Amino acid sequence: MENIKLILDSSSNMETNEKENLQVVPLTISFGGQDYIDDQTLNMKEFLSNMNKNDVSGKTTCPSIHAWLEALEGTEKAIIITMTSGMSGTFSSALQAKKMYEEKHPLSKIIVVDSRSAGPELTIVAHGIEQMLKGNIRFVDLEGAIAEFRMHTHLLFVLQSLHNLSLNGRVAPAVAKIAGLLKINLIGTASKEGKLEPLAKARGMKKALREVFKYMQEDNYHGGEVIIDHCENEKDAETLKEKILAEYPDAKVEIRPMRGLCSFYAEEGGLMIGFHE
């Protein structure tokens, strides 16, 4: 199939790869009076250090329409994958950019996908699209094929800290404090509505990882691709990888560090697990 550009936002924890015709458009994270552009120049060590010292609410800002238009410039066909519209205006701004670009370039064709998720699940979807593009699928059939593929992808997350979620009104401060004192890990998923929702609480990471693997199997996991993104917690990511491979030795399991946006919400010790059934 002809060359089609893939464009994702930085919640995917991916990096721009011009050789693969893949571009990542950054979101912006703001706290402590400073803006952090979530691109390849972001100093993650400094970012995490400043984030850990921060005790006031912050915010995240979606890419502007102009940023999406810049990413589309010069392309005839492109597929944009965004983080969930349930938590961000990223999908909306990408959709507006698509309309503007197609009006200016009538022969162009752009697909915008609301992942209804974040983090590694976006990458799982991107990999699925790349496989489709290697086949003989027509562009007109891609949107339906992507929607079908997304029905078999999932996201789970494990959080060791609820500090930022509390500061930004996602979790009650009292709940965050108790969870920290009792060393409780929060396990959650991306709902069908695209919002991140809690599934269970586990005291201790070992128990949390067992619960994650159980939830993967309940979501019909049978050895498909897995991506484990971590925030300064490669050790537990490796433990989960070993657990998956012990049961499904032929599974493709990749471990990656989170970028800025996901680290802001997952915090140090957090894991995000994206997988295809």
Side-chain angles (χ1 to χ4, degrees), residues 25-46:
V25 179
L27 285 92
T28 302
I29 308 109
S30 305
F31 59 84
Q34 190 168 345
D35 294 335
Y36 298 88
I37 309 300
D38 191 16
D39 60 15
Q40 288 163 252
T41 67
L42 179 63
N43 184 323
M44 286 302 299
K45 185 176 181 179
E46 179 183 331

Side-chain angles (χ1 to χ4, degrees), residues 42-243:
L42 179 63
N43 184 323
M44 286 302 299
K45 185 176 181 179
E46 179 183 331
F47 173 79
L48 291 172
S49 176
N50 292 343
M51 186 179 77
N52 290 336
K53 297 172 187 173
N54 180 59
D55 283 317
V56 296
S57 62
K59 67 175 183 177
T60 58
T61 306
C62 69
S64 66
I65 295 173
H66 178 70
W68 291 116
L69 288 172
E70 280 192 329
L72 287 168
E73 190 60 41
T75 63
E76 292 185 3
K77 294 182 180 178
I79 300 171
I80 299 174
I81 311 170
T82 76
M83 70 179 293
T84 174
S85 59
M87 290 184 66
S88 169
T90 304
F91 173 72
S92 177
S93 65
L95 202 59
Q96 292 178 68
K98 159 192 160 71
K99 292 177 181 177
M100 292 173 66
Y101 190 81
E102 289 180 336
E103 286 175 1
K104 187 176 179 180
H105 306 275
L107 298 180
S108 65
K109 296 179 181 178
I110 315 297
I111 295 172
V112 182
V113 179
D114 179 359
S115 71
R116 299 188 181 275
S117 189
E121 189 175 356
L122 270 73
T123 305
I124 295 288
V125 172
H127 288 172
I129 292 171
E130 287 172 344
Q131 289 302 310
M132 294 176 200
L133 298 182
K134 290 177 181 178
N136 296 318
I137 189 169
R138 300 181 303 169
F139 191 88
V140 69
D141 297 324
L142 271 172
E143 199 157 3
I146 295 168
E148 171 63 25
F149 183 84
R150 281 183 49 249
M151 292 179 67
H152 302 282
T153 65
H154 306 272
L155 175 73
L156 292 167
F157 60 84
V158 184
L159 306 181
Q160 292 195 34
S161 170
L162 306 181
H163 178 69
N164 269 350
L165 290 176
S166 172
L167 284 178
N168 293 283
R170 309 268 182 180
V171 174
V175 173
K177 185 176 181 179
I178 292 171
L181 290 172
L182 298 180
K183 296 184 178 180
I184 290 174
N185 301 107
L186 179 67
I187 304 165
T189 187
S191 70
K192 291 181 179 179
E193 292 75 31
K195 295 182 179 180
L196 301 182
E197 294 186 353
L199 287 174
K201 298 173 184 176
R203 189 174 295 182
M205 199 56 156
K206 287 184 179 179
K207 185 176 180 181
L209 295 180
R210 288 197 298 269
E211 289 293 305
V212 165
F213 189 56
K214 182 188 76 173
Y215 282 118
M216 287 178 68
Q217 292 178 311
E218 289 179 0
D219 279 333
N220 297 314
Y221 179 70
H222 290 100
E225 181 183 12
V226 182
I227 297 176
I228 306 169
D229 288 347
H230 68 90
C231 183
E232 299 293 298
N233 191 9
E234 189 171 358
K235 178 183 176 182
D236 287 325
E238 288 285 358
T239 298
L240 180 58
K241 178 179 178 177
E242 290 170 8
K243 188 178 292 291

